[in-house]
Amino acid sequence: MDTKELLKKVRKIEIKTRRLSDHIFGGEYHSTFKGRGMTFSEVRQYQFGDDVRNIDWNVTARYSEPYVKVFEEERELTMMLMVDISGSELFGTEQQFKNEVITEIAATLAFSATQNNDKIGLILFSDKVELYIPPKKGRSHVLRIIRELIEFTPESKKTNLVEALKFMQNVMKKKAIVFVLSDFIVDDYHQTMKIVSGKHDVTGIRVYDKREQTIPNIGVVQMQDEETGEYMLVNTLSKKVRLNYEKFYNDKVAYYKDSFSKSGAGAMDCRVDESYVKKLLGYFKRRG
């Protein structure tokens, strides 16, 4: 992709996702994800209905009338976007590939965080961490993240979520809001997820295509595993073959939901032909 085409694509995504974050997600994001605590701001005269526990007795004694301490939410947060860029994300039978939908969701979340003056970082992973962008603030930083999401070419097509989670845990010393965007056709990450979500506010966003859920009955066809590159002949006429695949897929989805739920992490699903706007809003409102 040449520079002109890339910039055009980045601008298109910015216009779409920034509008969403400005008009829809900014307030929802703010109310869903709280700051680290409350910090002292000022004192003012006591008013009817104020919490008596906030009375500043030193100032009250000095002026012979009650004064209360005013606190503000310590708002600044850090958002870390963990994005799966393995081979299985390059799949789509509807209007968009999974990786394109993931890019739009990530951009919308990033601009929502920017509205609240929060930092945003990025981890792109396959079976290893392919790229790490440390958290920073600002529009230009978000645009860099979008550029990487669009044009980055991974060295590997395989997936290892555990390695990515361990890396994130090591680089993020303080609590962060973490979004893991993937199709989650992977397993054996439950224990790591439990450790990570004990420290961070983690949400999994599973992006999938409805054609992945089952194999249609279309005869003997050649298929390629996007992650291993292996070709194989698959007899889709066989009911057993179709049922085995369906069980394999459903087991991965069940593992994802069970792992996130038992770890205390949030989870949501988004099919590529569905509105991720409605999905995100619904999730934010449930969380809020």
Side-chain angles (χ1 to χ4, degrees):
M1 188 185 300
D2 62 33
T3 304
K4 190 175 179 181
E5 187 183 349
L6 173 62
L7 291 173
K8 188 177 177 182
K9 213 165 185 180
V10 170
R11 181 63 179 153
K12 186 179 178 182
I13 289 174
E14 181 192 11
I15 290 168
K16 179 178 180 180
T17 58
R18 195 165 192 177
R19 189 184 300 126
L20 289 172
S21 63
D22 286 349
H23 295 100
I24 300 174
F25 294 113
E28 295 293 343
Y29 169 87
H30 184 98
S31 60
T32 302
F33 301 103
K34 303 298 183 184
R36 289 193 291 265
M38 305 300 286
T39 57
F40 173 73
S41 174
E42 60 180 349
V43 293
R44 61 163 171 79
Q45 285 183 301
Y46 177 86
Q47 297 172 1
F48 180 75
D50 285 340
D51 191 334
V52 294
R53 290 173 297 182
N54 292 333
I55 291 176
D56 187 319
W57 294 107
N58 289 330
V59 179
T60 296
R62 190 182 307 152
Y63 292 101
S64 301
E65 56 181 318
Y67 276 76
V68 292
K69 295 176 183 177
V70 179
F71 294 88
E72 289 181 350
E73 181 185 0
E74 192 180 350
R75 176 62 227 177
E76 186 179 292
L77 298 167
T78 298
M79 176 191 287
M80 181 57 69
L81 298 169
M82 297 183 61
V83 178
D84 180 356
I85 54 170
S86 62
S88 63
E89 304 308 327
L90 300 172
F91 182 88
T93 58
E94 300 292 333
Q95 296 174 339
Q96 288 180 295
F97 290 117
K98 288 186 288 185
N99 65 326
E100 292 173 327
V101 176
I102 284 173
T103 295
E104 288 193 16
I105 294 173
T108 303
L109 292 169
F111 279 122
S112 296
T114 298
Q115 260 198 311
N116 286 279
N117 202 34
D118 294 343
K119 295 177 182 177
I120 306 103
L122 177 69
I123 293 173
L124 299 180
F125 69 94
S126 54
D127 60 347
K128 60 182 179 180
V129 172
E130 299 267 0
L131 177 70
Y132 169 57
I133 299 178
K136 279 179 64 178
K137 298 180 183 181
R139 173 179 174 268
S140 60
H141 181 67
V142 173
L143 293 181
R144 183 198 169 189
I145 285 173
I146 296 172
R147 284 198 302 273
E148 295 293 358
L149 286 166
I150 292 171
E151 72 166 356
F152 188 87
T153 303
E155 293 180 5
S156 173
K157 290 188 174 182
K158 298 179 182 179
T159 314
N160 188 329
L161 180 54
V162 169
E163 286 303 310
L165 288 169
K166 285 180 177 178
F167 177 87
M168 193 280 297
Q169 181 84 330
N170 286 333
V171 296
M172 298 304 296
K173 301 303 180 186
K174 293 182 179 179
K175 181 180 178 180
I177 299 167
V178 180
F179 287 97
V180 187
L181 296 97
S182 173
D183 55 16
F184 292 96
I185 304 176
V186 63
D187 49 25
D188 295 332
Y189 55 83
H190 173 67
Q191 282 304 116
T192 310
M193 177 60 67
K194 194 172 181 180
I195 294 167
V196 170
S197 60
K199 177 179 178 181
H200 302 284
D201 188 336
V202 182
T203 296
I205 301 179
R206 186 176 76 93
V207 177
Y208 68 102
D209 190 293
K210 63 184 178 183
R211 298 295 183 194
E212 294 176 300
Q213 297 172 287
T214 57
I215 297 178
N217 185 347
I218 53 175
V220 179
V221 293
Q222 187 180 56
M223 294 185 177
Q224 182 185 23
D225 186 319
E226 282 289 351
E227 299 210 354
T228 64
E230 181 185 355
Y231 285 94
M232 63 197 88
L233 286 175
V234 179
N235 180 15
T236 66
L237 294 169
S238 167
K239 187 176 180 180
K240 184 179 179 182
V241 168
R242 297 198 305 273
L243 288 175
N244 282 344
Y245 174 81
E246 196 171 333
K247 182 181 184 304
F248 164 83
Y249 184 85
N250 289 336
D251 284 349
K252 291 287 186 283
V253 175
Y255 183 86
Y256 156 71
K257 292 182 177 178
D258 192 56
S259 293
F260 274 74
S261 174
K262 288 183 177 176
S263 301
M268 59 170 276
D269 294 341
C270 184
R271 212 168 66 194
V272 294
D273 58 329
E274 294 178 322
S275 167
Y276 66 82
V277 176
K278 290 181 181 177
K279 293 283 186 173
L280 282 173
L281 271 177
Y283 176 72
F284 283 178
K285 284 178 178 175
R286 287 196 302 275
R287 278 287 309 265

